[in-house]
């Protein structure tokens, strides 16, 4: 199965309208999915309205063009602006709720994202490369967006209705993958640039230094990891939290790997309260991916894809499938597998678990 590819043109508002009209049904589906997940996680309808309104104000304050794109998505899709704000702030709203209420369970939403990457010399095909298995709720709809930011062309994956792509590449040789993190200090009330605005800014960056700067500043409301690559400058993973940030650079011949826990939480003084609900998956996937990618140097694409399709660990494996006995609202799978070649400016992906299909390649 392939994703819709939208070539966005015109003003930010017109780009939003195009997004909204083309993905009208998918956006309606995502609104329903996230409203359900947030209510399941402990929020009430008044909570959702209050928090969505607050984030609408933050998007308006932080970035007028992003807000204009949201307006266009709302008008094009027929959804309320508040529900579009909910989608664009879903990272802060959902992750802070999990930290606040300690939900959901299903053994800690068994799995999320496994990212990897390395500079030129790590991969047999050459150049800087990064990628990930993006594991998330079943039923979430996505698309690929391509747009221009000045002279920079951006190609990235987004969830339908979210104005800022979260995974992708640009014509400056910058690439981005992401990992959800959580800490007890996460607080949706912190006034800061929201996650999806940061990912858009990173994907519009001209250099690794600029991309890292967008990841770490200003202080975020919720913890997150931004796995950033540059054709010119290599690979860095940026762990961020309300208490501070830490940049880890890939060195040597081994790829860098990151999943859904801080590699050294004591370095930032964070307490990962959500790991108490049994999130052993993040540790298993990190160790397993490092082991698999260490079997060959330089690493071939065939070996890489085999690792992305690995099922060791069953329900907590790198390649994830829904556990049918889990509550429907808590079922997850590998929704997207993506391989980004930054020098070649190619994005290869599977929509759904990578064991079920071949990779489709799109180039800038």
């Amino acid at each position: 199965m392939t994703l819709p590819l939208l070539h966005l043109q015109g003003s930010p508002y017109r780009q939003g309208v195009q997004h909204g009209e083309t993905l009208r049904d998918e956006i309606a589906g995502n609104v329903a999915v996230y409203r359900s997940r947030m209510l399941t996680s402990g929020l009430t309808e008044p909570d959702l309205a209050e928090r969505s309104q607050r984030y609408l104000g933050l998007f308006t304050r932080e970035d007028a063009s992003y807000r204009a794109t949201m307006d266009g998505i709302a008008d094009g899709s027929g959804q309320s602006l508040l529900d579009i704000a909910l989608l664009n702030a879903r990272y802060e709203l959902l992750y802070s709720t999990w930290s606040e209420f300690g939900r959901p369970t299903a053994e800690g939403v068994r799995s999320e994202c496994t990212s990897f990457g390395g500079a030129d010399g790590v991969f047999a095909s050459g150049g800087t490369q990064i990628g990930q298995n993006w594991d998330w709720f079943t039923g979430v709809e996505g698309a690929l967006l391509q747009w221009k930011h000045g002279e920079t062309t951006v190609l990235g994956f987004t969830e339908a209705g979210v104005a800022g792509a979260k995974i992708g590449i640009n014509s400056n040789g910058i690439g981005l993958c992401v990992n959800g993190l959580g800490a007890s200090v996460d607080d949706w009330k912190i006034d800061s640039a929201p996650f999806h605005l940061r990912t858009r800014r990173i994907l519009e960056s001209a250099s690794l230094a600029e991309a890292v700067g967008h990841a770490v500043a200003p202080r975020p409301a919720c913890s997150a990891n931004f796995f950033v690559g540059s054709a010119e400058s290599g690979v860095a993973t940026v762990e961020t939290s309300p208490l501070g940030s830490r940049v880890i650079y890939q060195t040597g011949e081994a790829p860098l790997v990151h999943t859904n826990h801080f590699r050294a939480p004591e370095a930032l003084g964070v307490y990962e309260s959500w790991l108490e609900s049994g999130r052993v998956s993040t540790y298993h996937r990190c160790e397993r991916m490092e082991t698999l990618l260490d079997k060959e140097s330089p690493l071939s694409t065939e070996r890489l894809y085999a690792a992305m399709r690995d099922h060791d660990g069953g329900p907590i494996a790198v390649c994830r499938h829904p556990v049918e006995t889990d509550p429907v609202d808590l079922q997850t799978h590998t929704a997207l597998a993506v391989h980004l070649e930054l020098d070649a400016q190619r994005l290869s992906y599977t929509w759904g678990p990578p064991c079920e299909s071949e990779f489709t390649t799109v180039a800038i």
Side-chain angles (χ1 to χ4, degrees):
M1 183 182 298
T2 59
L3 289 165
L5 172 58
L6 281 63
H7 293 272
L8 302 177
Q9 298 180 335
S11 68
Y13 175 78
R14 292 307 310 167
Q15 291 184 20
V17 170
Q18 183 184 347
H19 180 154
E21 289 178 343
T22 306
L23 302 176
R24 186 183 185 91
D25 292 342
E26 291 86 350
I27 292 169
N30 282 353
V31 169
V33 165
Y34 279 115
R35 290 184 67 83
S36 172
R37 299 312 189 269
M38 290 175 192
L39 293 170
T40 299
S41 297
L43 294 181
T44 65
E45 288 285 359
D47 290 335
L48 280 183
E50 176 193 359
R51 298 184 186 198
S52 298
Q53 185 65 54
R54 183 184 182 94
Y55 272 87
L56 180 59
L58 277 178
F59 283 115
T60 304
R61 185 192 73 187
E62 291 287 335
D63 195 298
S65 65
Y66 194 101
R67 166 59 198 271
T69 304
M70 290 172 58
D71 289 341
I73 293 171
D75 290 346
S77 67
Q79 297 292 319
S80 73
L81 183 56
L82 212 56
D83 276 341
I84 298 303
L86 180 149
L87 288 182
N88 281 267
R90 71 89 173 151
Y91 186 90
E92 286 79 8
L93 297 183
L94 201 51
Y95 278 76
S96 64
T97 301
W98 289 348
S99 293
E100 181 179 351
F101 292 102
R103 305 180 195 175
T105 54
E107 299 188 19
V109 183
R110 300 176 189 275
S111 169
E112 282 189 44
C113 307
T114 305
S115 298
F116 57 84
D120 188 30
V122 171
F123 297 92
S125 55
T128 302
Q129 302 181 33
I130 66 174
Q132 74 174 108
N133 277 9
W134 182 68
D135 301 347
W136 199 228
F137 293 123
T138 57
V140 171
E141 300 288 351
L144 297 177
L145 307 180
Q146 184 165 311
W147 74 93
K148 295 278 287 187
H149 175 70
E151 297 301 312
T152 300
T153 301
V154 182
L155 171 65
F157 166 79
T158 193
E159 296 169 78
V162 175
K166 61 165 58 66
I167 299 166
I169 56 176
N170 74 22
S171 57
N172 299 318
I174 299 297
L176 173 67
C177 295
V178 293
N179 303 92
L181 296 176
S184 57
V185 294
D186 292 347
D187 185 355
W188 66 276
K189 295 186 296 295
I190 295 174
D191 287 344
S192 185
F195 172 84
H196 285 110
L197 176 54
R198 291 174 192 265
T199 61
R200 183 177 180 112
R201 288 174 172 172
I202 291 169
L203 284 170
E204 292 177 341
S205 295
S207 66
L208 182 64
E210 182 185 350
V212 170
H214 288 311
V216 302
R219 178 176 69 115
C222 290
S223 304
N225 184 69
F226 302 90
F227 201 103
V228 187
S230 163
E232 182 178 319
S233 304
V235 170
T237 194
V238 189
E239 297 180 338
T240 67
S241 83
L243 295 181
S245 301
R246 178 170 178 255
V247 183
I248 306 168
Y249 291 94
Q250 184 269 329
T251 59
E253 298 179 355
L256 181 64
V257 173
H258 203 286
T259 53
N260 301 103
H261 60 280
F262 288 90
R263 297 305 296 258
E266 67 279 1
L268 294 175
V270 297
Y271 172 57
E272 297 173 283
S273 55
W274 66 344
L275 294 179
E276 293 180 350
S277 63
R279 298 179 71 85
V280 295
S281 167
T282 181
Y283 301 112
H284 171 79
R285 287 178 290 108
C286 190
E287 293 170 5
R288 180 64 176 167
M289 197 64 164
E290 287 177 336
T291 298
L292 292 171
L293 299 188
D294 194 43
K295 291 182 180 292
E296 183 179 81
S297 182
L299 185 66
S300 67
T301 301
E302 292 74 21
R303 176 75 70 172
L304 173 62
Y305 288 0
M308 296 173 76
R309 291 169 169 139
D310 185 72
H311 292 113
D312 181 80
I316 61 172
V318 171
C319 184
R320 279 279 293 113
H321 297 265
V323 176
E324 298 301 329
T325 54
D326 286 348
V328 173
D329 276 3
L330 301 182
Q331 289 184 7
T332 60
H333 67 150
T334 299
L336 175 78
V338 65
H339 175 212
L340 308 175
E341 299 170 272
L342 306 188
D343 296 73
Q345 298 179 12
R346 288 195 296 258
L347 183 158
S348 299
Y349 75 94
T350 69
W351 182 232
C355 66
E356 296 181 351
S357 61
E358 297 301 318
F359 282 75
T360 297
T361 299
V362 183
I364 290 180

